[in-house]
Every structure is written in C-alpha cells, then in structure tokens.
C-alpha cells in the first residue's frame, strides 16, 4: 500500500504506492549506498524483493541490535518504544475503535484486529494509516540512534555490522529461492517412519 520513511528524528512521511511504477521512484534511494534502517528489516526486504526491488546495504536493523544487546527481553517495536523511549505508539487495534474508544461489536475488521495478525490494512482510512506508518518510521529512526552507541559500548559493533547485518539480504534471497523437494523420496521416508512408529508403539504397549 505504501512506504513510510524518516531520515530525521521527529520527521516522517508516508507515500502511497498505487503501482510498480511509483515504487520505481524510490529505487535509487533503496539501492544506493545510504544506510537503510528498519525494525525486522528482513520482512521489509522480502516484501520489496517480491515487487522486483532488491534493496542493498548497509543495513541497521533495530530488532537485531536489540537481540544482540538484550537477548532475554522482548523485541517488538512497541516494547522497545515503551521501554527505551518512554513512548507508547499507536496500535493497529487503536485504529479500529470509535472516538469513545469502544469497539463496535458489529465491526468485522475490529474483531479481526483483536483476534488476528492477518489484518486488512485497506480497511484503515488513508490518513490514519499514514499517521500510524509514519510514527513507526520515526520511532525506528530514534531507536537506531539510541542503540547504535550501545552496540559500540558493548563491544558488539563488529558482530552487528560485519556478520548479522550483511546476512539479511542473504536470508531473504534464500527464502525467496526456496529448495527443491523430491516428493518420491519424501513419500518413501514417510512410509518408513510410519512403519517405525507402528513397531515402536507395539513394543511400548508390550512393555
């Protein structure tokens, strides 16, 4: 539907992408040498690759940075915003309630938002969607500014920039390519395992 982006704390923008030609307007920025910041960048890179746009590094993934620094904590953007920035961002479910904050029991989209991550984003009014997405971009930019010096202080700078970040497009390419599967061998393996399970089950019952 669109791309939200920010290059300065406090400033963020949302551009609608109605067709592939519009996406091409962003190709020079996304394939150039500027650092690309995001939270769970692998997902964004995969979405763009599916649209024929292969984003090039360098990358700064705030999700990866936080995992390296605080492996035992949660790593969602909302959690990072609240714990590190002291800010509670707008939730998708917030966009599905009325002005009084009460959900409409007859609103199927609100029900889906509460029960599922598979939301129909097209049901959100453009102005609200733009504000929600731009806020995400702004928060992610601020998180990167905060986590960058922490990586240096923790001595994890090289691990992050030389190992973890360069792997992002590699993993995306591998997932996009997939693997070749021999269905005949898979079927034979399934039959063999089924026979072993039957034999083991009989042995267990006998014991």
């Amino acid at each position: 539907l669109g791309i939200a982006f920010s290059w300065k704390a406090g400033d963020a923008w949302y551009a609608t992408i109605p067709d592939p030609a519009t996406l091409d307007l962003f190709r020079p920025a996304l394939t150039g040498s500027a650092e690309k910041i995001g939270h769970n960048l692998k997902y964004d890179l995969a979405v763009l690759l599916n649209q024929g746009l292969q984003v090039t590094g360098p990358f700064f993934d705030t999700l990866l940075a936080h995992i390296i620094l605080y492996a035992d904590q949660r790593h969602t953007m909302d959690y990072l915003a609240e714990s590190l920035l002291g800010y509670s961002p707008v939730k998708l479910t917030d966009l599905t309630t009325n002005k009084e904050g009460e959900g409409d029991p007859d609103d199927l989209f609100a029900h889906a938002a509460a029960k599922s991550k598979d939301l129909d984003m097209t049901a959100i009014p453009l102005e609200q969607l733009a504000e929600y997405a731009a806020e995400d971009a702004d928060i992610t930019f601020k998180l990167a500014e905060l986590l960058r010096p922490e990586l240096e202080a923790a001595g994890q700078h090289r691990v992050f920039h030389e190992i973890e970040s360069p792997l992002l497009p590699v993993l995306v390419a591998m997932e996009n390519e997939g693997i070749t599967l021999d269905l005949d061998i898979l079927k034979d393996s399934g039959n063999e395992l089924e026979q072993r399970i039957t034999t083991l089950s009989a042995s267990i019952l006998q014991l």
Side-chain angles (χ1 to χ4, degrees):
L1 294 178
I3 298 179
F5 51 93
S6 172
W7 61 84
K8 176 184 177 183
D11 286 345
W13 305 84
Y14 178 76
T16 58
I17 308 293
D19 53 58
T22 307
L23 184 60
D24 283 339
L25 296 174
F26 296 90
R27 191 177 296 272
L30 295 174
T31 59
S33 60
E35 182 182 65
K36 288 79 179 177
I37 300 170
H39 190 78
N40 191 17
L41 261 176
K42 190 162 75 75
Y43 175 80
D44 300 281
L45 298 182
V47 170
L48 290 167
L49 184 61
N50 287 335
Q51 298 298 320
L53 202 162
Q54 187 169 1
V55 183
T56 57
F59 302 107
F60 192 101
D61 190 333
T62 52
L63 173 68
L64 278 178
H66 193 258
I67 288 174
I68 291 174
L69 291 167
Y70 307 101
D72 58 337
Q73 295 184 13
R74 288 182 290 156
H75 310 292
T76 65
M77 196 204 70
D78 288 347
Y79 176 77
L80 267 63
E82 293 170 0
S83 62
L84 300 180
L85 302 176
Y87 178 79
S88 182
V90 174
K91 311 289 193 299
L92 275 177
T93 49
D94 295 337
L95 304 181
T96 65
T97 58
N98 58 32
K99 293 181 180 179
E100 288 73 32
E102 297 293 331
D104 181 353
D106 295 325
D107 186 346
L108 295 179
F109 176 68
H111 178 72
K115 298 295 183 181
S116 173
K117 292 182 179 180
D118 186 20
L119 304 178
D120 179 11
M121 300 295 286
T122 62
I124 302 175
L126 177 58
E127 184 176 346
Q128 292 183 357
L129 180 61
E131 183 175 353
Y132 165 80
E135 181 186 62
D136 275 11
D138 178 47
I139 289 173
T140 304
F141 187 91
K142 291 175 180 175
L143 288 173
E145 289 190 317
L146 185 67
L147 294 170
R148 196 185 305 273
E150 290 195 26
L151 286 169
E152 293 277 2
Q156 298 293 336
H157 175 81
R158 291 188 62 186
V159 171
F160 179 78
H161 287 286
E162 297 180 18
I163 299 176
E164 297 290 352
S165 295
L167 273 178
L168 286 170
V170 177
L171 294 173
V172 170
M174 289 171 62
E175 292 177 7
N176 183 70
E177 181 69 21
I179 61 173
T180 300
L181 187 63
D182 190 318
L183 295 178
D184 291 334
I185 292 179
L186 185 65
K187 184 177 180 180
D188 291 341
S189 298
N191 291 334
E192 181 182 346
L193 288 173
E194 186 175 2
Q195 292 174 9
R196 289 181 61 190
I197 290 172
T198 301
T199 302
L200 288 171
S201 296
S203 177
I204 291 171
L205 288 174
Q206 183 178 9
L207 289 171

